[in-house]
C-alpha cells in the first residue's frame, strides 16, 4: 500500500462544542496509545471496560505481549501502559456521556505500511512492533511524538481553563514518555531508524509549522541524544489536527486510513 495525502476535515476547529470536540479527538488518540501499550504487556482496554460511547464502537486487530529481555524496558512499558490507561479513563470521565466509543484500530498491518514507507524494511517484509523490545520501542516512538505535538497544537483552541489545565497535565506526561523512548532508542544506537520515522511523520504532516521550523530528529550535529522534539525557543513542536490525522491515517484512503480503518469517532475526523 502507498501512503497518500489526506485532506482532513479539521484543518480549523469551528464546531459549537470546541472543547468537547478537542477532547474527543484526543480520546481517539489515547485509545490507540493505550491499546498499543496494554497489549504489549498482555492487557486490553476492553478488559478494563473502557471502550463504549457515542459513535460506532469498533474492534482492535493485532498486538500481543512483547517478549521483553530487559527488565528495565519491560517496566518502562508497564509504566506507560498505566499512564495511557489513566488518560483514557480520565478523558472519558471529563466528557461523561459525550465520550466517543473506541473506533476500529489496526495494530497489525499498519506498522508494516509505515516501516516500508520509511525505508526500514523492503516490499514483502513485515514489521511487528510486538516481536521484540527494539521493535516495540520504534513502534512506541511513532505515537509518543505525535501525542505531544497534538496536545501542544490544540491548546490554543481550548476555551475552558479546566480543560486547558487537564490537557497541559496530559501533555506533560506524554512529553516524559517521548523523552524516555527517544533516550532508550539512543542508548541502543537506533537513531538512524528513529530519524527515518521522524522524516516520514514530517512528510505526511507537512511538518513545517507556522513558525517556520520542523520537528527535530534524534541525531543532530555533535549530539546523538536529542530527547525532545522542540523548536528554537525550547517549545514543544506543534501540529494541527489535520496534520495529526494525516499521520495516523497514513495519508488517507491509499493506506486504508492506517491505524483507524473506519476513521475516528467524533466531529474531528
Amino acid at each position: 500500500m502507498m501512503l497518500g495525502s489526506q485532506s482532513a476535515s479539521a484543518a480549523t476547529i469551528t464546531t459549537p462544542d470546541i472543547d468537547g470536540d478537542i477532547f474527543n479527538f484526543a480520546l481517539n488518540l489515547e485509545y490507540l496509545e493505550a491499546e498499543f501499550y496494554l497489549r504489549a504487556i498482555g492487557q486490553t482496554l476492553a478488559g478494563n471496560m473502557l471502550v463504549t460511547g457515542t459513535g460506532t464502537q469498533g474492534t482492535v486487530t493485532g498486538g500481543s505481549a512483547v517478549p521483553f529481555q530487559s527488565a528495565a524496558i519491560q517496566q518502562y512499558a508497564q509504566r506507560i501502559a498505566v499512564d495511557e490507561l489513566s488518560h483514557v479513563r480520565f478523558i472519558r470521565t471529563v466528557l461523561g456521556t459525550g465520550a466517543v466509543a473506541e473506533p476500529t484500530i489496526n495494530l497489525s498491518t499498519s506498522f508494516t505500511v509505515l516501516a516500508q514507507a520509511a525505508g526500514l524494511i523492503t516490499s514483502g517484509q513485515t514489521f511487528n512492533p510486538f516481536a521484540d523490545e527494539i521493535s516495540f520501542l520504534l513502534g512506541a516512538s511513532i505515537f509518543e511524538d505525535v501525542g505531544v505535538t497534538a496536545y501542544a497544537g490544540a491548546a490554543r483552541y481550548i476555551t475552558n481553563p479546566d480543560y486547558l489545565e487537564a490537557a497541559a497535565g496530559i501533555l506533560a506526561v506524554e512529553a516524559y514518555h517521548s523523552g524516555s523512548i527517544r533516550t532508550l532508542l539512543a542508548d541502543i544506537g537506533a537513531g538512524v531508524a528513529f530519524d527515518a520515522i521522524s522524516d516520514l511523520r514530517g512528510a505526511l504532516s507537512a511538518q513545517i509549522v507556522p513558525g517556520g521550523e520542523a520537528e527535530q530528529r534524534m541525531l543532530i550535529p555533535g549530539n546523538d541524544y536529542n530527547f525532545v522534539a522542540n523548536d528554537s525557543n525550547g517549545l514543544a513542536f506543534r501540529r494541527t489536527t489535520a496534520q495529526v490525522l494525516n499521520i495516523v491515517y497514513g495519508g488517507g484512503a491509499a493506506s486504508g486510513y492506517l491505524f483507524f480503518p473506519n476513521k475516528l469517532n467524533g466531529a474531528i475526523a
Side-chain angles (χ1 to χ4, degrees), residues 144-240:
E144 293 307 336
D145 277 7
V146 172
V148 172
T149 60
Y151 278 105
R156 66 187 300 167
Y157 298 105
I158 299 175
T159 61
N160 185 315
D162 292 332
Y163 274 55
L164 181 59
E165 181 180 61
I170 298 174
L171 168 59
V173 172
E174 297 291 355
Y176 277 118
H177 294 170
S178 176
S180 297
I181 297 298
R182 281 175 169 244
T183 300
L184 288 169
L185 286 169
D187 282 341
I188 60 176
V192 172
F194 177 92
D195 284 352
I197 294 171
S198 179
D199 290 345
L200 177 60
R201 276 199 303 261
L204 287 171
S205 69
Q207 69 176 7
I208 302 299
V209 296
E213 299 185 64
E215 174 186 322
Q216 290 189 11
R217 306 162 101 223
M218 180 186 294
L219 305 179
I220 58 177
N223 193 331
D224 291 348
Y225 281 83
N226 183 26
F227 57 85
V228 58
N230 59 0
D231 61 21
S232 59
N233 293 314
L235 303 178
F237 186 75
R238 304 170 302 285
R239 284 192 173 95
T240 65

Side-chain angles (χ1 to χ4, degrees), residues 54-208:
T54 64
T56 303
Q57 182 179 328
T59 57
V60 182
T61 56
S64 60
V66 176
F68 292 104
Q69 300 300 308
S70 163
I73 295 178
Q74 183 176 25
Q75 289 175 15
Y76 269 101
Q78 291 169 341
R79 175 66 215 194
I80 297 177
V82 168
D83 289 341
E84 300 300 352
L85 176 62
S86 297
H87 289 170
V88 169
R89 182 178 289 114
F90 173 74
I91 295 176
R92 284 172 58 89
T93 299
V94 169
L95 291 167
T97 57
V100 296
E102 181 181 48
T104 294
I105 294 174
N106 176 2
L107 293 176
S108 54
T109 61
S110 51
F111 290 97
T112 293
V113 174
L114 283 181
Q116 289 179 354
L120 298 181
I121 58 175
T122 60
S123 178
Q125 294 181 309
T126 59
F127 180 81
N128 177 10
F130 302 97
D132 56 75
E133 56 191 20
I134 295 177
S135 297
F136 165 75
L137 291 174
L138 286 172
S141 72
I142 298 170
F143 301 130
E144 293 307 336
D145 277 7
V146 172
V148 172
T149 60
Y151 278 105
R156 66 187 300 167
Y157 298 105
I158 299 175
T159 61
N160 185 315
D162 292 332
Y163 274 55
L164 181 59
E165 181 180 61
I170 298 174
L171 168 59
V173 172
E174 297 291 355
Y176 277 118
H177 294 170
S178 176
S180 297
I181 297 298
R182 281 175 169 244
T183 300
L184 288 169
L185 286 169
D187 282 341
I188 60 176
V192 172
F194 177 92
D195 284 352
I197 294 171
S198 179
D199 290 345
L200 177 60
R201 276 199 303 261
L204 287 171
S205 69
Q207 69 176 7
I208 302 299

Side-chain angles (χ1 to χ4, degrees), residues 3-30:
L3 299 182
S5 177
Q6 164 74 12
S7 296
S9 63
T12 58
I13 301 173
T14 58
T15 51
D17 182 12
I18 295 174
D19 294 341
D21 289 344
I22 290 173
F23 263 59
N24 266 321
F25 175 69
L27 180 56
N28 280 278
L29 301 180
E30 295 291 353

